[in-house]
Amino acid sequence: MARNKYDVDEELMTPFSLKYCKRLLGYVKPYKKEMLITLIVMLLSSVASLLGPYLVKVAMDTNIPNKDIKGLIAVCVIFLLTIIIGAICMKYKIKTMTYVGQGVVRNIRSDLFQHLQKLPFAYYDSRPHGKILVRVVNYVNSLSDLLSNGLINLLTDMFSIFVIIAFMIFISPKLTLVCMIGMPILAIVVALLAKIQRKTTQIYSNKQSNLNAYIQESISGMKVTQAFARERVNAEKFKTVSGENRETWMNAVKYQLMLWPAIDNISVFTVSLVYLVGVSSIGESITIGTLIAFISYIWRFWNPIVNISNFYNALIMAMAYLERIFETLDEEITITNLKGAYELPKIVGNVEFKDVVFKYEDEDREILKKVSFKVNAGETIALVGPTGAGKTTIINLLSRFYDVNSGEVLVDNNNIRNVKLDSLRKQMGVMLQDTFIFSGTILDNIRYGKLDATEEEIIEASKAVKAHDFIINLKDGYNTQVNERGSRLSVGQRQLISFARALLADPKILILDEATSSIDTKTEQALQQGLDRLLKGRTSFVIAHRLSTIKNATRIMVINDGKIVEQGTHDELINKGGEYFELYTSQYEMVKAV
């Protein structure tokens, strides 16, 4: 079902648009006051620094020939003040724009994270998680320098260019025209490089995403890698993916760095022409002081041009990342509150499926085929059948992790698509097959099911599922720190903690997906006693391959090929001698053989 892997490049679904820049400026808007003040400060700094060459001209053409010591001292003092003003302004800019840039990065990352939490399971089913992570971390980080310095520097440099040109025209219109000869050449170079730079940067971002995806996948599966001695094979794969990342980076940088030498060569060419024309005109319309000041302004003229080209390179790089960031933000939230959705009242626990048809994205095969059944409040329904039959899909649809393609899922006669998601899920307790333990204490992990739960309530829930005994025997009891995914706990212990978490919420509908699959027989017997009491009075759906754990279910539904092929109590299905009888008998024979 996944449409992407670590070794498959992602394709942009939409072409590049300037709307991305507009959206980025929307994140800058809250800081417009800081931006405006910084811009004014930097314009002041720019004017102060640009006085330098003119002051040199005054000193060489007027003060020194006339032996005007006082005038020369005054010029030196003013020159020193321009340097001090520039330093103070630069310090203010660095401090303020770093604050602005990091604020924008934080807000973009926050919006990304919040949006990711709302995206449906189908989004995460279709791509490696590493490719999602790289957008939230690496791609957003890449915008930091652009936002911290780029925008203000761009405006300041553009202002500086116009001021410098004004000074140059004031000093010598003739030499200014000579200097402008290089601008058409620069425009042609920029136009030629623009398209290829964006393309090479996009390719590099793809390979960076692939590399991140493979690293994330490898770390997650490290135990399997070591267990099957796959280190050498994986190292070769990493070498290939990393090599592709390096090659595309080098290619992107090659075209990115072409702009600076082009500007440098054009600037040297124009300066040479100015020297040639200027020296030949000394004594006529140009003085030595004028030539020295003009040459100084020429270099100052090309400095902002270089800065703007660097900004341009950074912008091209950022655009490739912005496309990915905004593509993620534009990903449709398909599982959301519909218009007119209402709060689901406190439920009793009646559940009904009406002709439900469902298939996963990009799959032709229907997982559920017109499935219909009714469950009364307080019943315990066991779902059994072969792998891939549709058992987990039923509880995923009930929790509205996915939406049905056709048909209805009703809770107390409320179509769950018409009620607010929070109001539905807050009244359900779910323990999925993939038990997840968060980093933190065991107490906090159990409290995740009810954030305002007291310690006494947590202990009571733990006792009910027989988790209390092993928890208190840990070094710090309920305050024991566990790693992400609970790697220091056994699989059975993680399931018991997850079970306590689900039960703590005291839901009217309880869903258990393979809740006892990794619990030893002794623990299972103790757990069954707690389950019998806790399942009483609430509607429960239990998926279990270990059929001995569901013998007391109110009703057992056998799912096969997306349909309910049998249903009834354990005794009724055994007497019927159908598929359930075959499943139970074969499992019993396997246990007996062991």
Side-chain angles (χ1 to χ4, degrees), residues 422-550:
D422 285 353
S423 66
L424 170 69
R425 292 175 181 169
K426 283 179 179 178
Q427 301 190 64
M428 301 175 66
V430 182
M431 180 177 170
L432 298 175
Q433 189 171 2
D434 182 18
T435 301
F436 194 92
I437 299 296
F438 297 90
S439 57
T441 65
I442 291 178
L443 192 75
D444 289 336
N445 265 281
I446 299 175
R447 186 179 275 127
Y448 199 85
K450 184 182 177 185
L451 297 179
D452 59 348
T454 64
E455 191 168 338
E456 289 73 21
E457 290 175 319
I458 293 171
I459 292 174
E460 183 179 348
S462 301
K463 286 181 177 178
V465 299
K466 306 303 177 184
H468 178 73
D469 291 342
F470 92 80
I471 293 174
I472 60 172
N473 285 325
L474 297 174
K475 181 181 179 181
D476 297 314
Y478 283 86
N479 291 314
T480 299
Q481 293 283 337
V482 291
N483 299 334
E484 181 184 340
R485 304 194 72 88
S487 59
R488 294 184 179 179
L489 301 172
S490 70
V491 176
Q493 289 173 333
R494 294 201 298 269
Q495 285 191 320
L496 288 174
I497 290 173
S498 183
F499 203 18
R501 175 198 297 164
L503 295 172
L504 181 65
D506 191 25
K508 283 296 181 182
I509 298 177
L510 182 63
I511 295 173
L512 308 176
D513 187 352
E514 292 294 337
T516 60
S517 62
S518 299
I519 298 174
D520 59 79
T521 305
K522 182 179 179 181
T523 304
E524 179 191 324
Q525 293 172 350
L527 177 61
Q528 196 65 49
Q529 299 172 12
L531 283 176
D532 291 340
R533 177 170 62 84
L534 290 164
L535 296 180
K536 187 176 182 180
R538 68 181 92 237
T539 306
S540 304
F541 289 83
V542 182
I543 296 178
H545 285 105
R546 194 184 298 181
L547 302 184
S548 59
T549 63
I550 58 169

Side-chain angles (χ1 to χ4, degrees), residues 28-82:
V28 177
K29 190 175 180 180
Y31 302 95
K32 58 184 179 183
K33 180 180 177 182
E34 291 86 350
M35 295 278 287
L36 181 60
I37 294 173
T38 305
L39 179 60
I40 294 172
V41 168
M42 290 310 297
L43 293 180
L44 174 63
S45 173
S46 179
V47 171
S49 65
L50 292 176
L51 285 173
Y54 183 76
L55 293 173
V56 171
K57 177 184 179 301
V58 171
M60 294 190 68
D61 287 349
T62 305
N63 300 131
I64 294 174
N66 297 329
K67 298 182 180 180
D68 183 4
I69 303 301
K70 290 183 179 180
L72 188 59
I73 292 173
V75 167
C76 291
V77 170
I78 295 172
F79 191 86
L80 179 62
L81 286 174
T82 62

Side-chain angles (χ1 to χ4, degrees), residues 111-308:
D111 284 354
L112 262 176
F113 183 75
Q114 291 182 44
H115 189 74
L116 287 170
Q117 291 191 101
K118 298 175 184 176
L119 290 176
F121 280 13
Y123 176 79
Y124 298 96
D125 293 340
S126 63
R127 52 185 47 80
H129 293 175
K131 293 195 176 185
I132 301 172
L133 181 63
V134 75
R135 301 184 183 206
V136 182
V137 182
N138 300 53
Y139 289 178
V140 175
N141 282 344
S142 70
L143 303 178
S144 178
D145 187 60
L146 180 70
L147 296 168
S148 297
N149 299 301
L151 293 176
I152 290 297
N153 285 349
L154 174 66
L155 296 174
T156 304
D157 288 331
M158 290 179 69
F159 173 80
S160 297
I161 289 173
F162 288 113
V163 173
I164 291 169
I165 292 174
F167 271 105
M168 288 165 65
I169 293 173
F170 177 74
I171 292 173
S172 175
K174 179 181 179 180
L175 294 180
T176 303
L177 288 174
V178 175
C179 180
M180 293 296 109
I181 290 175
M183 297 307 294
I185 303 173
L186 178 62
I188 294 171
V189 171
V190 170
L192 291 174
L193 289 177
K195 188 174 182 179
I196 193 167
Q197 276 186 278
R198 177 173 178 263
K199 185 65 177 177
T200 54
T201 303
Q202 280 185 333
I203 294 172
Y204 165 65
S205 73
N206 283 336
K207 300 305 180 183
Q208 184 185 23
S209 179
N210 292 349
L211 177 62
N212 198 77
Y214 186 71
I215 292 172
Q216 190 272 339
E217 180 182 289
S218 299
I219 292 173
S220 298
M222 191 58 68
K223 289 184 178 179
V224 177
T225 296
Q226 295 183 4
F228 287 88
R230 290 268 299 186
E231 293 92 340
R232 182 174 298 177
V233 175
N234 286 5
E236 287 299 317
K237 287 184 178 180
F238 178 81
K239 185 178 179 180
T240 300
V241 177
S242 182
E244 291 176 349
N245 181 74
R246 176 183 176 276
E247 288 174 10
T248 54
W249 164 250
M250 294 297 291
N251 195 40
V253 168
K254 178 177 69 176
Y255 289 103
Q256 179 183 340
L257 296 181
M258 279 185 179
L259 193 56
W260 179 81
I263 294 173
D264 193 46
N265 289 329
I266 294 170
S267 66
V268 170
F269 171 71
T270 56
V271 170
S272 300
L273 286 179
V274 169
Y275 269 119
L276 183 63
V277 174
V279 170
S280 64
S281 301
I282 289 177
E284 299 176 6
S285 58
I286 296 175
T287 65
I288 293 178
T290 297
L291 182 59
I292 292 174
F294 197 90
I295 294 298
S296 180
Y297 275 121
I298 287 182
W299 290 120
R300 287 173 184 257
F301 170 78
W302 285 105
N303 278 339
I305 295 292
V306 171
N307 292 338
I308 291 173

